[in-house]
């Protein structure tokens, strides 16, 4: 029943079913993220320059002229 929506959104049909149930019970407020147990996520904030430098850095520390060249290894 939810397979088409799940395919379009890239999630499972079970997830779409849960979203629909939460929406039916609480409308839009039901779709908001709720607090989760455990340690909070940490955010690693990089500048565009830092992100570019990290993607150009090879395994031995050399800089590549092709971004992402070493990411497949």
């Amino acid at each position: 029943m939810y397979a088409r929506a799940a395919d379009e959104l890239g999630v499972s049909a079970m997830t779409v079913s849960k979203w629909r149930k939460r929406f039916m019970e609480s409308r839009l407020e039901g779709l908001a993220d709720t607090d989760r147990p455990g340690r909070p996520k940490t955010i690693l904030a990089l500048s565009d320059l830092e992100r570019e430098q990290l993607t150009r850095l090879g395994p031995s520390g050399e800089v590549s002229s092709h971004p992402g060249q070493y990411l497949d290894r």
Side-chain angles (χ1 to χ4, degrees):
M1 179 174 185
Y2 305 112
R4 185 170 149 194
D7 286 343
E8 288 181 22
L9 296 169
V11 297
S12 71
M14 177 74 73
T15 297
V16 174
S17 175
K18 289 178 184 178
W19 288 344
R20 183 179 185 279
K21 180 181 178 199
R22 288 171 44 191
F23 179 78
M24 295 303 292
E25 291 172 354
S26 304
R27 308 310 283 177
L28 289 177
E29 291 81 24
L31 298 178
D33 281 340
T34 57
D35 291 333
R36 297 182 182 176
R39 183 176 179 178
K41 290 183 180 179
T42 57
I43 298 173
L44 176 61
L46 298 175
S47 71
D48 290 338
L49 178 60
E50 291 170 322
R51 190 175 298 107
E52 181 181 344
Q53 289 172 340
L54 284 173
T55 58
R56 290 180 183 265
L57 199 59
S60 61
E62 74 272 10
V63 175
S64 166
S65 59
H66 303 289
Q69 173 182 353
Y70 299 109
L71 296 179
D72 293 335
R73 293 184 186 183

